[in-house]
Amino acid sequence: MNITILGTGSVGQALAGKLSSLSHAITMGTRDVNASLAKKDNDGMGNPGVGKWIEQHSQVSLSEFSQSVKEETEIVIIALSGTVVMDVLKLVGEANLKDKLIIDISNPLDFSNGFPPTLFVCNDESLGELIQQQYPNSKVVKTLNTMSNAVMINPNVLEGDHSVFMSGDNADAKLQVETLLESFGWKSKNIIDLGNITTSRGTEMMLPLWVRLFGKLNTPYFNIHINQSKM
Ligand SMILES: NC(=O)c1ccc[n+]([C@@H]2O[C@H](COP(=O)([O-])OP(=O)(O)OC[C@H]3O[C@@H](n4cnc5c(N)ncnc54)[C@H](OP(=O)(O)O)[C@@H]3O)[C@@H](O)[C@H]2O)c1
């Protein structure tokens, strides 16, 4: 499939690498292609600068946000800092997003007051819903935002069963996302369709717990397993 990933950070890189290894055609969206290509140093978490990463993944193309989603694009994945999602989607343009499946992995984390971050939307609203409201002719599915990127693209990195959630209004779009998740190695029984896009309030509000677990366990290699009784 023809997939555009908005975002060049660790999530964008992980997904672009995985999806291109599965033979999808991948474009990554960024603010400034030349500035991104010049980023060669690792970040604080040891992830390579996107310029270095692209050198190692020449099958992935890099494009400015406004040019990154084309008519032939079938899926748009949001892997952006939550605070800039609405601004970047505006650059991409409503016409380019019309009728497209938008997979939203971003979280509404606000680091402006340091650590731990707070949520800039929560309780009776969510980033997933804001995107769907702003782009009613697109099909938004929120998923994968509750785990680290290493687990997203390779669930078998953890032993045993663990869960991934999906929220979205469009049943066909969620089926498409389920197929994509299964191609990453997710077992169907571990993919939990929570319901419509308002259910992304719940998964976004898991982030304060994720952040604290990360601090406690000192590793991104963990996830939550919903152990459901048959009774
Ligand atoms: N890290 C994880 O394992 C993980 C796990 C689950 C969910 N998430 C969520 O996934 C999203 C992406 O996370 P990440 O760590 O990969 O990347 P990130 O650092 O949160 O975001 C990187 C992207 O944001 C863009 N960006 C930053 N400031 C901008 C601005 N002022 N205007 C326009 N674009 C701007 C950057 O553009 P340039 O390309 O131009 O630099 C880059 O493409 C976040 O919402 C995060 O909460 C992350």
Side-chain angles (χ1 to χ4, degrees), residues 3-17:
I3 301 176
T4 292
I5 299 172
L6 302 173
T8 59
S10 59
V11 176
Q13 291 177 21
L15 284 161

Side-chain angles (χ1 to χ4, degrees), residues 5-14 29-33 35-36 39 43 45 47 50 62 65 78-85 87-88 91 104-109 111 127 142-152 207 210 220:
I5 299 172
L6 302 173
T8 59
S10 59
V11 176
Q13 291 177 21
T30 188
R31 279 170 287 190
D32 179 330
V33 169
S36 289
K39 288 183 191 164
D43 68 14
M45 300 288 284
N47 304 301
V50 64
L62 201 57
F65 288 130
I78 301 179
L80 295 159
S81 169
T83 50
V84 304
V85 167
D87 290 341
V88 171
L91 290 175
D104 175 31
I105 299 177
S106 65
N107 281 308
L109 296 178
F111 287 92
L127 194 48
K142 183 115 207 169
T143 192
L144 290 172
N145 60 309
T146 55
M147 66 200 73
S148 69
N149 60 75
V151 178
M152 289 177 198
L207 261 291
W210 189 93

